Short mmCIF file of all heavy atoms in Angstrom, two decimals:
data_model
loop_
_atom_site.label_atom_id
_atom_site.label_comp_id
_atom_site.label_asym_id
_atom_site.label_seq_id
_atom_site.Cartn_x
_atom_site.Cartn_y
_atom_site.Cartn_z
N ALA A 1204 130.21 73.55 80.00
CA ALA A 1204 129.98 74.14 81.32
C ALA A 1204 128.55 74.65 81.47
O ALA A 1204 127.90 74.42 82.50
CB ALA A 1204 130.97 75.27 81.57
N ARG A 1205 128.07 75.31 80.46
CA ARG A 1205 126.70 75.85 80.52
C ARG A 1205 125.66 74.73 80.58
O ARG A 1205 124.66 74.84 81.28
CB ARG A 1205 126.46 76.76 79.32
CG ARG A 1205 127.27 78.03 79.38
CD ARG A 1205 127.20 78.84 78.10
NE ARG A 1205 128.03 80.03 78.19
CZ ARG A 1205 128.82 80.46 77.22
NH1 ARG A 1205 128.88 79.81 76.05
NH2 ARG A 1205 129.54 81.54 77.39
N ARG A 1206 125.88 73.64 79.85
CA ARG A 1206 124.96 72.50 79.88
C ARG A 1206 124.93 71.82 81.24
O ARG A 1206 123.90 71.33 81.68
CB ARG A 1206 125.34 71.46 78.81
CG ARG A 1206 124.98 71.86 77.41
CD ARG A 1206 125.15 70.73 76.40
NE ARG A 1206 126.53 70.25 76.27
CZ ARG A 1206 126.95 69.03 76.60
NH1 ARG A 1206 126.11 68.13 77.09
NH2 ARG A 1206 128.22 68.69 76.45
N GLY A 1207 126.07 71.77 81.90
CA GLY A 1207 126.16 71.07 83.18
C GLY A 1207 125.87 71.93 84.40
O GLY A 1207 125.72 71.41 85.50
N TRP A 1208 125.78 73.22 84.22
CA TRP A 1208 125.62 74.14 85.35
C TRP A 1208 124.23 74.07 85.95
O TRP A 1208 123.23 74.02 85.25
CB TRP A 1208 125.93 75.57 84.94
CG TRP A 1208 125.68 76.55 86.04
CD1 TRP A 1208 124.71 77.50 86.06
CD2 TRP A 1208 126.38 76.66 87.28
NE1 TRP A 1208 124.78 78.21 87.24
CE2 TRP A 1208 125.79 77.71 88.01
CE3 TRP A 1208 127.44 75.95 87.84
CZ2 TRP A 1208 126.24 78.07 89.28
CZ3 TRP A 1208 127.89 76.32 89.10
CH2 TRP A 1208 127.29 77.37 89.80
N SER A 1209 124.17 74.08 87.28
CA SER A 1209 122.93 74.21 88.02
C SER A 1209 123.08 75.39 88.97
O SER A 1209 124.08 75.49 89.68
CB SER A 1209 122.63 72.95 88.83
OG SER A 1209 121.59 73.20 89.76
N ALA A 1210 122.07 76.25 89.00
CA ALA A 1210 122.10 77.41 89.89
C ALA A 1210 122.10 77.00 91.36
O ALA A 1210 122.38 77.83 92.24
CB ALA A 1210 120.93 78.34 89.59
N LYS A 1211 121.80 75.74 91.66
CA LYS A 1211 121.84 75.24 93.04
C LYS A 1211 123.27 75.03 93.53
O LYS A 1211 123.51 74.88 94.72
CB LYS A 1211 121.09 73.92 93.15
CG LYS A 1211 119.62 74.01 92.87
CD LYS A 1211 119.01 72.62 92.95
CE LYS A 1211 117.56 72.61 92.52
NZ LYS A 1211 117.01 71.25 92.52
N ALA A 1212 124.22 74.99 92.61
CA ALA A 1212 125.62 74.70 92.95
C ALA A 1212 126.32 75.94 93.48
O ALA A 1212 126.01 77.07 93.09
CB ALA A 1212 126.35 74.17 91.73
N ASP A 1213 127.28 75.70 94.37
CA ASP A 1213 128.12 76.77 94.90
C ASP A 1213 129.35 77.01 94.03
O ASP A 1213 130.01 78.04 94.17
CB ASP A 1213 128.60 76.42 96.31
CG ASP A 1213 127.45 76.23 97.28
OD1 ASP A 1213 126.47 77.01 97.22
OD2 ASP A 1213 127.52 75.28 98.09
N ALA A 1214 129.66 76.05 93.17
CA ALA A 1214 130.83 76.17 92.29
C ALA A 1214 130.68 75.19 91.12
O ALA A 1214 129.92 74.23 91.20
CB ALA A 1214 132.12 75.87 93.05
N LEU A 1215 131.44 75.47 90.07
CA LEU A 1215 131.52 74.57 88.93
C LEU A 1215 132.89 73.90 88.97
O LEU A 1215 133.91 74.57 89.16
CB LEU A 1215 131.38 75.35 87.61
CG LEU A 1215 131.59 74.53 86.34
CD1 LEU A 1215 130.47 73.52 86.14
CD2 LEU A 1215 131.70 75.46 85.13
N VAL A 1216 132.92 72.58 88.79
CA VAL A 1216 134.16 71.83 88.71
C VAL A 1216 134.30 71.30 87.29
O VAL A 1216 133.38 70.66 86.77
CB VAL A 1216 134.17 70.65 89.72
CG1 VAL A 1216 135.42 69.81 89.55
CG2 VAL A 1216 134.06 71.17 91.15
N MET A 1217 135.44 71.58 86.66
CA MET A 1217 135.75 71.08 85.32
C MET A 1217 136.94 70.15 85.45
O MET A 1217 138.03 70.60 85.81
CB MET A 1217 136.06 72.24 84.37
CG MET A 1217 134.92 73.22 84.22
SD MET A 1217 135.29 74.54 83.03
CE MET A 1217 134.97 73.67 81.49
N THR A 1218 136.73 68.86 85.18
CA THR A 1218 137.80 67.90 85.40
C THR A 1218 138.54 67.55 84.12
O THR A 1218 138.05 67.78 83.02
CB THR A 1218 137.25 66.62 86.05
OG1 THR A 1218 136.28 66.04 85.19
CG2 THR A 1218 136.65 66.91 87.41
N CYS A 1219 139.71 66.98 84.30
CA CYS A 1219 140.62 66.46 83.28
C CYS A 1219 141.72 67.48 83.01
O CYS A 1219 141.46 68.59 82.57
CB CYS A 1219 139.93 66.08 81.98
SG CYS A 1219 141.09 65.31 80.80
N LEU A 1220 142.95 67.07 83.31
CA LEU A 1220 144.10 67.95 83.07
C LEU A 1220 144.48 68.06 81.61
O LEU A 1220 145.29 68.90 81.24
CB LEU A 1220 145.30 67.48 83.89
CG LEU A 1220 145.24 68.01 85.32
CD1 LEU A 1220 145.51 66.94 86.34
CD2 LEU A 1220 146.16 69.18 85.49
N ASN A 1221 143.90 67.22 80.75
CA ASN A 1221 144.20 67.34 79.31
C ASN A 1221 143.44 68.47 78.65
O ASN A 1221 143.80 68.92 77.58
CB ASN A 1221 143.88 66.03 78.58
CG ASN A 1221 145.03 65.06 78.60
OD1 ASN A 1221 146.10 65.36 79.09
ND2 ASN A 1221 144.82 63.88 78.05
N THR A 1222 142.34 68.91 79.26
CA THR A 1222 141.58 70.00 78.64
C THR A 1222 142.22 71.34 78.99
O THR A 1222 142.95 71.46 79.96
CB THR A 1222 140.11 70.02 79.10
OG1 THR A 1222 140.07 70.34 80.49
CG2 THR A 1222 139.41 68.71 78.83
N ARG A 1223 141.88 72.33 78.21
CA ARG A 1223 142.39 73.69 78.46
C ARG A 1223 141.34 74.50 79.21
O ARG A 1223 141.07 75.66 78.89
CB ARG A 1223 142.79 74.33 77.12
CG ARG A 1223 143.97 73.64 76.46
CD ARG A 1223 144.37 74.26 75.14
NE ARG A 1223 143.31 74.20 74.14
CZ ARG A 1223 143.08 73.16 73.33
NH1 ARG A 1223 143.83 72.09 73.41
NH2 ARG A 1223 142.11 73.20 72.45
N SER A 1224 140.77 73.89 80.22
CA SER A 1224 139.69 74.51 80.99
C SER A 1224 140.13 75.79 81.69
O SER A 1224 139.30 76.68 81.94
CB SER A 1224 139.12 73.52 82.00
OG SER A 1224 140.16 73.01 82.82
N HIS A 1225 141.40 75.91 82.00
CA HIS A 1225 141.89 77.13 82.66
C HIS A 1225 141.66 78.36 81.79
O HIS A 1225 141.56 79.47 82.30
CB HIS A 1225 143.37 76.98 83.01
CG HIS A 1225 144.26 76.78 81.82
ND1 HIS A 1225 144.33 75.57 81.15
CD2 HIS A 1225 145.09 77.62 81.17
CE1 HIS A 1225 145.17 75.68 80.15
NE2 HIS A 1225 145.65 76.93 80.13
N LEU A 1226 141.54 78.17 80.49
CA LEU A 1226 141.33 79.30 79.58
C LEU A 1226 139.91 79.86 79.66
O LEU A 1226 139.68 80.99 79.25
CB LEU A 1226 141.63 78.89 78.14
CG LEU A 1226 143.06 78.45 77.86
CD1 LEU A 1226 143.21 77.96 76.42
CD2 LEU A 1226 144.05 79.57 78.16
N VAL A 1227 138.97 79.08 80.19
CA VAL A 1227 137.57 79.53 80.26
C VAL A 1227 137.10 79.76 81.70
O VAL A 1227 135.99 80.22 81.91
CB VAL A 1227 136.62 78.55 79.54
CG1 VAL A 1227 136.97 78.44 78.06
CG2 VAL A 1227 136.62 77.18 80.20
N ALA A 1228 137.94 79.46 82.68
CA ALA A 1228 137.53 79.56 84.08
C ALA A 1228 137.05 80.97 84.44
O ALA A 1228 135.98 81.14 85.03
CB ALA A 1228 138.66 79.12 85.00
N GLU A 1229 137.83 81.96 84.11
CA GLU A 1229 137.48 83.33 84.50
C GLU A 1229 136.22 83.82 83.78
O GLU A 1229 135.36 84.47 84.38
CB GLU A 1229 138.65 84.27 84.24
CG GLU A 1229 138.49 85.60 84.93
CD GLU A 1229 139.81 86.34 85.04
OE1 GLU A 1229 140.27 86.87 84.02
OE2 GLU A 1229 140.36 86.36 86.16
N VAL A 1230 136.10 83.50 82.51
CA VAL A 1230 134.89 83.87 81.74
C VAL A 1230 133.65 83.26 82.39
O VAL A 1230 132.63 83.92 82.56
CB VAL A 1230 135.02 83.40 80.27
CG1 VAL A 1230 133.71 83.56 79.52
CG2 VAL A 1230 136.13 84.15 79.57
N LEU A 1231 133.76 81.98 82.75
CA LEU A 1231 132.62 81.30 83.38
C LEU A 1231 132.30 81.87 84.76
O LEU A 1231 131.14 81.99 85.13
CB LEU A 1231 132.88 79.80 83.46
CG LEU A 1231 132.79 79.08 82.12
CD1 LEU A 1231 133.37 77.67 82.23
CD2 LEU A 1231 131.34 79.03 81.64
N GLU A 1232 133.33 82.23 85.51
CA GLU A 1232 133.08 82.84 86.82
C GLU A 1232 132.31 84.14 86.69
O GLU A 1232 131.38 84.39 87.48
CB GLU A 1232 134.40 83.08 87.57
CG GLU A 1232 134.98 81.82 88.14
CD GLU A 1232 136.21 82.05 88.99
OE1 GLU A 1232 136.80 83.16 88.94
OE2 GLU A 1232 136.58 81.12 89.71
N GLU A 1233 132.66 84.93 85.71
CA GLU A 1233 131.93 86.19 85.48
C GLU A 1233 130.50 85.92 85.08
O GLU A 1233 129.58 86.59 85.53
CB GLU A 1233 132.66 87.02 84.42
CG GLU A 1233 133.97 87.59 84.88
CD GLU A 1233 134.76 88.27 83.78
OE1 GLU A 1233 134.19 88.56 82.70
OE2 GLU A 1233 135.97 88.53 84.01
N GLU A 1234 130.29 84.92 84.25
CA GLU A 1234 128.96 84.57 83.76
C GLU A 1234 128.09 83.94 84.85
O GLU A 1234 126.92 84.29 85.00
CB GLU A 1234 129.09 83.61 82.59
CG GLU A 1234 127.77 83.22 81.95
CD GLU A 1234 127.98 82.29 80.76
OE1 GLU A 1234 128.88 82.54 79.94
OE2 GLU A 1234 127.21 81.32 80.67
N LEU A 1235 128.67 83.01 85.63
CA LEU A 1235 127.90 82.26 86.62
C LEU A 1235 127.83 82.95 87.98
O LEU A 1235 126.95 82.66 88.78
CB LEU A 1235 128.51 80.86 86.80
CG LEU A 1235 128.64 80.00 85.54
CD1 LEU A 1235 129.39 78.71 85.85
CD2 LEU A 1235 127.27 79.72 84.94
N GLY A 1236 128.79 83.80 88.24
CA GLY A 1236 128.84 84.45 89.55
C GLY A 1236 129.27 83.51 90.66
O GLY A 1236 129.03 83.77 91.83
N ARG A 1237 129.93 82.42 90.29
CA ARG A 1237 130.40 81.41 91.26
C ARG A 1237 131.82 80.99 90.90
O ARG A 1237 132.25 81.12 89.75
CB ARG A 1237 129.51 80.18 91.24
CG ARG A 1237 128.05 80.39 91.54
CD ARG A 1237 127.77 80.57 92.99
NE ARG A 1237 126.42 80.63 93.48
CZ ARG A 1237 125.28 80.56 92.87
NH1 ARG A 1237 125.20 80.39 91.59
NH2 ARG A 1237 124.14 80.65 93.52
N PRO A 1238 132.56 80.42 91.85
CA PRO A 1238 133.91 79.95 91.53
C PRO A 1238 133.88 78.80 90.52
O PRO A 1238 132.94 77.99 90.52
CB PRO A 1238 134.45 79.44 92.87
CG PRO A 1238 133.54 79.98 93.91
CD PRO A 1238 132.23 80.24 93.26
N VAL A 1239 134.90 78.75 89.70
CA VAL A 1239 135.11 77.64 88.77
C VAL A 1239 136.46 77.03 89.13
O VAL A 1239 137.49 77.70 89.09
CB VAL A 1239 135.09 78.11 87.30
CG1 VAL A 1239 135.45 76.97 86.37
CG2 VAL A 1239 133.72 78.69 86.96
N VAL A 1240 136.43 75.75 89.50
CA VAL A 1240 137.64 75.02 89.87
C VAL A 1240 137.88 73.96 88.80
O VAL A 1240 137.01 73.13 88.55
CB VAL A 1240 137.49 74.36 91.26
CG1 VAL A 1240 138.70 73.50 91.59
CG2 VAL A 1240 137.28 75.44 92.33
N THR A 1241 139.04 74.01 88.18
CA THR A 1241 139.36 73.02 87.15
C THR A 1241 140.48 72.12 87.66
O THR A 1241 141.22 72.49 88.58
CB THR A 1241 139.80 73.69 85.83
OG1 THR A 1241 141.15 74.16 85.97
CG2 THR A 1241 138.87 74.83 85.44
#
Side-chain angles (χ1 to χ4, degrees):
R1205 291 171 182 137
R1206 285 190 297 115
W1208 175 248
S1209 167
K1211 296 178 187 176
D1213 299 319
L1215 174 68
V1216 175
M1217 300 182 80
T1218 60
C1219 185
L1220 277 133
N1221 273 357
T1222 66
R1223 294 180 298 275
S1224 55
H1225 61 285
L1226 298 176
V1227 299
E1229 194 162 75
V1230 170
L1231 287 167
E1232 284 186 346
E1233 290 173 14
E1234 182 178 317
L1235 304 174
R1237 301 283 187 359
V1239 174
V1240 175
T1241 77

